[in-house]
Amino acid sequence: MQTDVLLGLQWGDEGKGKIVDVLTSNYDIIARFQGGPNAGHTLEFDGIKHVLHTIPSGIFHKGSINIIGNGVVIDPIIFENEIKSIDKLDMKISELLIAKKAHLILPTHKLLDAASEQAKGKNKIGSTLKGIGPTYMDKTGRNGLRVGDISAANFKDRYDKLKQKHIQILNFYDFDYEIWDLEEKWFASLETLKKFQHIESEHYLHKALKEGKKILAEGAQGTLLDIDFGSYPFVTSSNTITAGACTGLGISPNKIKDVFGIFKAYCTRVGSGPFPTELFDEVGKHMQKVGNEFGATTGRPRRCGWIDLPALKYAINVNGVTQLMMMKGDVISGLDKIKVCTHYHFNGEKINYLPFEANDGLIPIFEELPGWQEDLMQLQDLSDAPQSFHDYIRYLEKELETPISIVSVGPDRKQTFFR
Ligand code: GDP
Ligand code: IMO
Ligand code: MG
């Protein structure tokens, strides 16, 4: 009986989609456990580049089963577009099942997201404007509509009631909006959602585990965006951590074996909020340009900076990471020095942990390591990598007290090494 969890340790976009795709052949079931179309998970193989938002990243492996779990919030319009763009590829894909308990993002949730951001002005979260916050608010406020409700006779009534409530809040915001077009599309796109089998994912997964099937739970966003443990309030509205896989799928903690924590060899963040190691110089620009650091969902430029060890250690502890995966090592090739943040200066003290006050006044303290010049994207074998790259990996393993089992040096499936 085995469930492994794969999730991001930084502020998202670590390369989760790529690695889930690489690992899918080892699993029977791939299940997304939280988040929604705020996520953009990029896969590259056979000359194809594809971005998934709601659909798990195992979809391109026929034979596996992909599940959208109850912890996910679904925008039927975006879901329909995802299905259409997968259909266009004309590939054999795996079976896709959807949890009845997954909540729906309504058109008015998106408007509320935009209205709330507008009202916050320069203190805005930098949300993806996909309606994530308002949908999870209705979930915890016990007002939400779920996939399993779509076929109920009173679905339209319940929809109208919730919409009216949203409109009252929108009036409070004094926010200009146009909903009718969006609403028509939304109801039409429910038809696509209905074509898929809706399941009680907790029963389905319990049975699968009993039958000895292997499950990989796919996270979205990253640990520092977690609603409880991230850089609140600059976070998303779900639990992005390992515990989120339990509540987002209905799997108990004792069924979880390995936790794969993914991180970039440097660090990025899209949207507002603290980022102690952020760079505003040529090195930051190098990371952004070479790493093509532009959001897969919104196209916004991602802020870039050096790796942050206290933040990574925090993420490893919160998640119980058993194996690390280091992504995008190729991007920091060609630099003379690699910097690693080992501590912070905070209130006149040197500290090695992420404090509650992390949103303000953390000044990073760096250690310098030698860089490497070689283009890692061309590597055929990890043993041919330059010595300073191996040294960087070993240094991180020692500091983080966790093995790095995968090293990625390019966006393609093939540019992946197991250690
Ligand atoms: P996710 O949200 O964690 O799935 O990550 P994203 O897809 O949003 O962002 C990761 C980006 O980096 C995508 O454009 C990937 O194609 C790309 N990528 C993944 N791994 C590597 C790597 O090792 N090197 C380079 N250069 N790009 C990578
Ligand atoms: P993946 O799964 C990076 C960020 C937004 C914003 C904050 C809140 O691709 O790694 P939200 O729309 O959730 O209310 O936005 O979270 N954010 C992400 N940043 N990767 C993501 O997902 C993200 N999903 C949300 O930029 O700062
Ligand atoms: Mg992404």
Side-chain angles (χ1 to χ4, degrees), residues 15-16 47 69 73 89 93 124 129 149 158 168 170 174 194 216 234 237 262 273 279 290 304 317 326 380 387 406 414:
K16 299 174 290 292
V73 290
L89 294 175
I93 57 165
K124 69 176 181 187
L129 302 179
D149 298 327
R158 289 176 62 191
Q168 280 176 13
L170 285 166
D174 194 19
K194 280 187 198 162
L216 180 63
F234 301 102
S237 299
I262 302 213
L279 289 167
V290 181
C304 299
N317 286 338
M326 187 178 90
Q380 298 300 314
Q387 188 55 44
I406 286 183
K414 290 190 189 129

Side-chain angles (χ1 to χ4, degrees), residues 6-8 12-20 38-44 49-52 57 218-221 262 264 266 268 290-297 302 326-331 377 407-412 415-416:
L6 182 146
L7 42 72
D13 303 329
E14 296 89 350
K16 299 174 290 292
K18 167 179 166 162
I19 297 299
V20 170
N38 48 349
H41 294 181
T42 315
L43 319 188
E44 284 195 41
K49 177 176 171 171
H50 198 84
V51 181
L52 295 163
S57 303
E218 174 179 0
Q221 290 81 53
I262 302 213
K264 281 180 188 168
Y266 50 103
T268 65
V290 181
N292 191 23
E293 295 296 359
F294 296 89
T297 293
R302 296 180 185 141
M326 187 178 90
M327 311 301 288
K328 302 190 93 159
D330 54 295
V331 174
M377 279 182 125
V407 173
S408 168
V409 292
D412 196 89
Q415 291 163 309
T416 315

Side-chain angles (χ1 to χ4, degrees), residues 35-37 54 68-69 72-80 82 98-99 102-106 132 135 145 147 186 193:
T54 326
I68 300 176
V72 177
V73 290
I74 302 176
D75 179 337
I77 301 179
I78 294 180
F79 176 76
E80 181 175 57
E82 282 187 82
I98 305 174
H103 280 246
L104 295 169
I105 302 176
L106 271 55
I132 303 297
T135 306
L145 292 175
V147 169
W186 192 84
L193 206 54

Side-chain angles (χ1 to χ4, degrees), residues 11-13 16 38-41 125-128 220-221 235-236 270 300:
W11 281 288
D13 303 329
K16 299 174 290 292
N38 48 349
H41 294 181
I125 308 295
S127 117
T128 58
Q221 290 81 53
V235 293
T236 191
V270 59
R300 290 179 294 175

Side-chain angles (χ1 to χ4, degrees), residues 357-378:
E357 298 83 356
N359 287 4
D360 238 348
L362 287 187
I363 301 161
I365 301 174
F366 292 108
E367 196 166 309
E368 280 191 358
L369 303 178
W372 55 89
Q373 302 305 315
E374 292 81 349
D375 178 4
L376 300 181
M377 279 182 125
Q378 308 305 327

Side-chain angles (χ1 to χ4, degrees), residues 4-50:
D4 295 333
V5 180
L6 182 146
L7 42 72
L9 299 182
Q10 296 160 324
W11 281 288
D13 303 329
E14 296 89 350
K16 299 174 290 292
K18 167 179 166 162
I19 297 299
V20 170
D21 171 61
V22 166
L23 296 180
T24 295
S25 52
N26 301 336
Y27 293 90
D28 302 292
I29 297 171
I30 310 297
R32 247 292 285 279
F33 61 85
Q34 46 66 236
N38 48 349
H41 294 181
T42 315
L43 319 188
E44 284 195 41
F45 53 90
D46 304 339
I48 295 171
K49 177 176 171 171
H50 198 84

